[in-house]
Amino acid sequence: MTTASPPPIDFAALGRAELADDGGRALDALLLVSADIVDATRQAVAAGFAVMPTGGLTSAIGSFDYKKESVDGFAGIVAIRPKGALTPDIVDATTPIEQLRTHEVAVDRENGLVSAGAGLTFTQINAVLAEQVGPNARVLVDLTSIGSAFVGGVVATGAMGPLRMRPSTTLDAVVLADGGEARVMAGDDLDLVEGLQGWTGMVAAARFRFYDVPPSEFGLVLPVQGSDIDAVAGLLAYLEPWTQVHLPGAGGRLGNGDTVLNGVELVSRDSLEVFVEHAQDPARSKAQGLLQSCEYAGADWLACITGWSENSVDDVLFSLLDPETETIGGVMIEYGVGFSSGAEMDTFRAIREGAPDLARTRARVRPEGRMKPWTTSTDVNVSVPADAGAIAEIMAAYADYRQAVRTLARELAGSGVDIELSAYGHLSPHGIDPHHRVTIFADQGQETALAAARQAVLADKRTLIRDLLHAAERGGGRVTGGEKGAPSLVEIARAAGGEGRMPEDLRRRMGRARAAVSSAPPNFNFRAPDELKCAQP
């Protein structure tokens, strides 16, 4: 029996892709949506096109400063998006991973493995696991965008969420499409894919280990004062034992006892105020209540603690209390707010994720009478011991950055250039990475002033990165990179003053990334930074 060859793609008939590069410039690209990524990339490469992955959220995955001359010699750019589905198609567990289409999923219950096409979300995968295995079975990929980010994009970016675990922590294999036959990557070869933004090829499918988690999900919100660095550091150091996730064998139960904290997230008060202006009930009413808690506590941050437990949220709260001080790591609980499973947690997530979403949205929208905003966000993941002093040094570096940005904003007040700063994101001691997004708005005609403000912010950001590197080293911690994978490594190297000044483990990762990217087909690595396209640093 012979298998029919896929039909040829008529590239001339494809529509234009509505995509932009990292600077907001429109890309001259075609859009191809396909359930067969391997064939789509094969035909695109054979036709002489440069290939750019695109997914459920991203416009142009990864650092990409688009210039038309960067694709000279190609027939053009084809942006390939994996075809998704409202409901995944469940196929037999024995289906080879390289044969999975982008909307298909296969559950190997006996071995604790689930394989999924690149166009599915982890919310969809976990729903299949709940149906096929049990209500508490899930893949421990915990992005805040778990319901919208595609599997392929998550692996390609190496993204991690509140648990501070990269996809490779539970990733068993990946199918890479780079213009030839499907390549199944596993073990150390996953470094040739994860975090490389599609510069070595496109992810067509992935296989993950899944686990059983405690049955009840909970959230606990504590108001804290961001300027009280010692208080924030004490809280994080105190919570460290509950944030350790001990992975069993595939399919097994997490071995952390009754309660696992799977995230400690930051939402700043000003971000919450913007969220209240735009949100709908019930999230809006709950957010107003949290703002009131901030008011009563005299706080400007919310520490959003989430987890799984065998117990009720009230019992979890009691178990986290220090009996001597009746606080959680020195933070009073009088104005804390608890959320339990189901609709309450859905509301909690809407608030936690809505604040940063609005900050990102404002950075993309051109206000009337003004130029397109310029924005940058910090992304340096730092793992530190459960030591309040070591954590305080990390938090002090961010406090200095906030002060520098606010000072610049005051200096520019009334000049036609405005600067906004919002903070949100990760406070787990296993991965401190509170994103600080700076967005600059300038009136039409203020190009020179905008450029000067942009350079000032970038200089402050480089100082922050250097401060974090030094603070981590002094405190016995380590900088592990960032959520953008290889682009984060490149940014850290530039801020450090060169790759040779990076910590040794980051230099090794840069070396592996360079080896993979520099040897990849130019149809894919054309978007990569120059530091990674050359064979030697």
Side-chain angles (χ1 to χ4, degrees), residues 285 467 526:
S285 296
D467 289 346
F526 72 99

Side-chain angles (χ1 to χ4, degrees), residues 241-519:
W242 287 277
T243 60
Q244 293 186 24
V245 177
H246 304 292
L247 293 179
R253 182 65 175 267
L254 292 188
N256 297 61
D258 291 342
T259 299
V260 181
L261 298 188
N262 58 28
V264 184
E265 299 289 286
L266 159 68
V267 175
S268 61
R269 179 173 176 172
D270 51 358
S271 297
L272 192 62
E273 289 171 344
V274 174
F275 177 80
V276 167
E277 292 178 9
H278 296 87
Q280 303 294 321
D281 283 329
R284 182 173 182 273
S285 296
K286 280 288 188 181
Q288 286 176 319
L290 294 177
L291 276 177
Q292 195 168 50
S293 294
C294 285
E295 182 72 26
Y296 292 154
D300 60 356
W301 281 8
L302 292 172
C304 302
I305 302 168
T306 57
W308 302 296
S309 182
E310 301 281 357
N311 306 312
S312 68
V313 65
D314 291 336
D315 289 338
V316 169
L317 177 61
F318 182 78
S319 70
L320 294 178
L321 277 177
D322 182 339
E324 294 186 4
T325 64
E326 294 189 347
T327 66
I328 297 179
V331 175
M332 302 292 292
I333 65 168
E334 181 178 0
Y335 302 115
V337 179
F339 296 81
S340 56
S341 292
E344 282 195 4
M345 283 303 297
D346 290 340
T347 299
F348 171 87
R349 278 187 288 270
I351 296 171
R352 185 189 68 181
E353 298 158 26
D357 279 347
L358 281 170
R360 288 188 288 264
T361 298
R362 276 185 60 77
R364 290 194 296 264
V365 176
R366 184 197 300 267
E368 186 175 353
R370 314 201 86 176
M371 294 186 288
K372 181 176 176 59
W374 177 87
T375 188
T376 185
S377 180
T378 64
D379 178 35
V380 182
N381 194 69
V382 186
S383 177
V384 293
D387 178 83
I391 297 173
E393 275 209 71
I394 301 298
M395 301 309 297
Y398 282 103
D400 290 344
Y401 180 63
R402 291 195 297 275
Q403 182 60 43
V405 172
R406 287 167 178 159
T407 298
L408 179 63
R410 287 195 296 270
E411 292 173 351
L412 294 175
S415 69
V417 177
D418 300 312
I419 297 179
E420 291 185 359
L421 171 66
S422 57
Y424 49 87
H426 315 294
L427 293 179
S428 169
H430 300 289
I432 299 176
D433 189 3
H435 305 308
H436 285 54
R437 178 171 293 279
V438 177
T439 304
I440 303 178
F441 301 88
D443 293 342
Q444 292 286 355
Q446 292 282 357
E447 289 87 354
T448 301
L450 174 62
R454 182 174 67 240
Q455 292 306 314
V457 170
L458 289 175
D460 290 334
K461 186 177 177 182
R462 288 192 294 271
T463 299
L464 167 66
I465 295 173
R466 289 193 292 270
D467 289 346
L468 292 174
L469 288 167
H470 295 319
E473 184 178 10
R474 287 192 300 267
R478 61 192 186 98
V479 172
T480 64
E483 291 186 6
K484 299 181 180 69
S488 297
L489 292 179
V490 171
E491 184 176 48
I492 292 169
R494 291 172 178 172
E499 191 173 332
R501 297 187 178 183
M502 297 172 75
E504 184 177 350
D505 59 334
L506 295 188
R507 288 202 302 273
R508 287 197 300 269
R509 285 179 56 196
M510 279 280 286
R512 290 197 297 270
R514 180 181 301 104
V517 172
S518 63
S519 61

